[in-house]
């Protein structure tokens, strides 16, 4: 039997964002933060996520300026890097995930940590002024913070810190928020993940919904 449902992609998209704006409590966000938060809610399918989203002052503007200046985007997982919509990138920015680099397994063994964390060591040459997006591994976010405790480590322009999970996710994001090692956005608690992180990247990369 035929079903009655919306088949126009643009109409589905428009109605989705209108529904989010009607139902979500977005009053505390600056306009550029609201745009990013709406896309994060859309990716999660969860009105209420906004209660857990926190931006440090000027984070969106700083991250957007970095991308417009050609900064690379470093991602902790392929699920994040593959989700970035390249046509939204303002300067053909490089999107880099080093998790599967041949050096990573040995680095992880030497450092006594996960491959996700060790992979960040390969970011150092281009980390200065970059946008960092961590949406999967709390160990990666903790390791980034450890790297940034070194005054000689290059500083990223901004950090999207949204790892998901039951072990270390909440704590790593709280550590990022307290350290303020760079302008950042987090999703508090256990919530997060690759889809939410990708949505934040894509929203920062282009103001278009």
């Amino acid at each position: 039997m035929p079903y009655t449902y919306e088949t126009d992609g643009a109409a589905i998209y428009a109605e989705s964002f209108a529904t989010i704006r009607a139902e979500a409590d977005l009053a505390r966000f600056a306009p550029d933060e609201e745009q990013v938060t709406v896309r994060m809610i859309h990716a999660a399918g969860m009105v209420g996520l906004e209660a857990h989203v926190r931006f440090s002052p000027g984070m969106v503007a700083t991250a957007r300026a970095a991308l417009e200046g050609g900064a690379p985007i470093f991602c902790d997982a392929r699920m994040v890097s593959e989700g970035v919509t390249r046509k939204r990138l303002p300067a053909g920015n490089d999107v880099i995930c080093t998790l599967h680099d041949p050096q990573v397994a040995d680095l992880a063994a030497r450092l006594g940590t996960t491959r996700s964390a060790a992979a960040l060591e390969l970011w150092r040459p281009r980390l200065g002024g970059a946008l960092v997006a961590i949406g999967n591994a709390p160990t990666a976010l903790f390791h980034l913070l450890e790297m940034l405790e070194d005054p000689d480590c290059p500083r990223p322009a901004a950090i999207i810190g949204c790892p998901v999970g039951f072990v270390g996710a909440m704590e790593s994001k709280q550590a990022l928020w307290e350290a303020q090692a760079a302008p950042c956005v987090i999703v508090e608690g256990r919530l997060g993940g690759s889809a939410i992180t990708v949505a934040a990247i894509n929203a920062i990369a282009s103001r278009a919904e």
Side-chain angles (χ1 to χ4, degrees):
M1 61 176 278
Y3 293 92
T4 301
Y5 58 95
E6 180 61 72
T7 59
D8 183 283
I12 293 169
Y13 213 62
E15 185 175 347
S16 296
F17 282 94
T19 300
I20 292 167
R21 287 196 163 88
E23 296 183 3
D25 183 2
L26 302 168
R28 68 183 174 89
F29 296 106
D32 57 358
E33 296 171 350
E34 177 187 313
Q35 179 218 351
V36 176
T37 303
V38 165
R39 289 190 65 91
M40 294 168 77
I41 294 169
H42 182 253
M46 179 184 170
V47 169
L49 181 73
E50 69 276 7
H52 306 280
V53 177
R54 298 179 71 179
F55 293 88
S56 58
M59 183 274 171
V60 176
T62 300
R64 189 166 278 159
L67 292 184
E68 290 171 350
I73 303 169
F74 284 104
C75 307
D76 68 322
R78 287 287 296 276
M79 286 188 292
V80 177
S81 61
E82 292 301 312
V84 176
T85 304
R86 272 37 179 198
K87 68 181 181 181
R88 294 181 70 95
L89 298 176
N93 308 72
D94 290 335
V95 182
I96 301 165
C97 176
T98 54
L99 182 59
H100 299 292
D101 187 284
Q103 303 173 74
V104 168
D106 286 343
L107 268 173
R110 189 163 71 248
L111 295 171
T113 190
T114 65
R115 290 172 62 249
S116 295
L120 274 63
E121 290 292 329
L122 303 181
W123 297 2
R124 288 180 184 267
R126 298 185 65 191
L127 184 59
L131 174 61
V132 169
I134 296 179
N136 183 59
T139 57
L141 184 51
F142 274 127
H143 191 72
L144 176 66
L145 293 173
E146 290 169 346
M147 288 168 59
L148 294 177
E149 288 176 357
D150 177 358
D152 294 326
C153 182
R155 319 287 300 180
I159 302 168
I160 300 169
C162 298
V164 63
F166 297 92
V167 179
M170 176 173 61
E171 293 83 358
S172 66
K173 290 178 284 189
Q174 185 62 32
L176 171 61
W177 188 256
E178 291 175 359
Q180 290 292 316
C184 64
V185 57
I186 66 168
V187 176
E188 297 173 309
R190 295 170 171 175
L191 297 169
S194 298
I196 289 172
T197 304
V198 167
I201 297 169
N202 288 335
I204 290 168
S206 171
R207 293 172 176 83
E209 288 189 346

